[in-house]
Amino acid sequence: MTEQEQSDQYFMSLALEQGKRAYDAGEVPVGAVVVLAGKVIGQGFNQPITRLDPSAHAEIVALRDAAKNMGNYRLSNATLYVTVEPCTMCAGCLVHSRIGRLVYGATEPKAGVIESAMCLLESSFFNHRIEVKGGLLAEDSSKLMSDFFKMRREGKKKLKQASKIVK
């Protein structure tokens, strides 16, 4: 394993820890970290429900944290590690922040726009190109998502059964 691959795995494991924080908060378990020169400069996890903010996706939260910590919204040469393939909003934010590299775990067949639903970052109208690596620790990221939605379905099922008993 190369030094870059070891580094990528380490930082993706930190993104997974952020995803677990989202899980524990009852949010869809996506986590992200922003790294520059081998140091974490921003981190975040999904928080749209708790923050009452539809834009509080893990990527956006991590990019905002990084920009604040760096004193600049341009994050050239930084890498964003995120557990799940970004959506349209997040991909656009990556372009605007000038992130240099994106590394993600699991694909998102319904809303992922890096390779699943479309290949948005390959659009010719963008004035910035991002190096992309997908599939890193994808099984761990997928399992976290699967476990979360299984728990939610079981919770809804229990609520439905309880309501039948009350009636």
Side-chain angles (χ1 to χ4, degrees):
M1 186 180 298
T2 69
E3 190 175 321
Q4 180 68 64
E5 290 170 334
Q6 288 176 339
S7 178
D8 285 348
Q9 284 202 352
Y10 171 72
F11 290 119
M12 184 59 81
S13 72
L14 296 182
L16 278 162
E17 288 176 19
Q18 290 294 312
K20 290 172 187 167
R21 291 183 65 191
Y23 183 106
D24 292 342
E27 299 273 6
V28 174
V30 179
V33 295
V34 180
V35 175
L36 181 64
K39 294 184 179 159
V40 174
I41 60 170
Q43 57 189 356
F45 57 91
N46 266 6
Q47 300 173 55
I49 298 167
T50 51
R51 287 190 179 190
L52 301 173
D53 178 358
S55 70
H57 289 197
E59 300 95 323
I60 304 292
V61 174
L63 290 168
R64 285 176 178 161
D65 189 39
K68 181 179 153 198
N69 290 332
M70 298 306 293
N72 191 342
Y73 75 101
R74 298 283 197 208
L75 300 170
S76 300
N77 301 316
T79 299
L80 176 81
Y81 294 86
V82 62
T83 57
V84 176
E85 179 183 5
C87 71
T88 306
M89 174 182 69
C90 294
C93 193
L94 293 173
V95 171
H96 289 293
S97 71
R98 300 297 191 263
I99 223 60
R101 187 167 175 252
L102 165 66
V103 179
Y104 65 91
T107 55
E108 211 307 353
K110 293 180 183 175
V113 298
I114 307 305
E115 68 173 280
S116 295
M118 65 185 319
C119 299
L120 186 62
L121 294 180
E122 295 176 17
S123 299
S124 62
F125 55 81
F126 284 131
N127 61 351
H128 177 69
R129 297 286 169 240
I130 299 170
E131 180 186 335
V132 176
K133 177 181 180 179
L136 184 64
L137 300 182
E139 290 175 15
D140 296 331
S141 298
S142 291
K143 182 173 177 1
L144 186 60
M145 294 288 278
S146 296
D147 290 350
F148 176 78
F149 285 110
K150 180 180 178 186
M151 183 244 337
R152 291 240 329 247
R153 283 190 301 274
E154 288 171 357
K156 287 181 181 181
K157 189 176 183 180
K158 286 178 185 175
L159 278 174
K160 193 172 184 179
Q161 290 169 344
S163 70
K164 288 180 182 178
I165 295 169
V166 173
K167 290 180 181 178

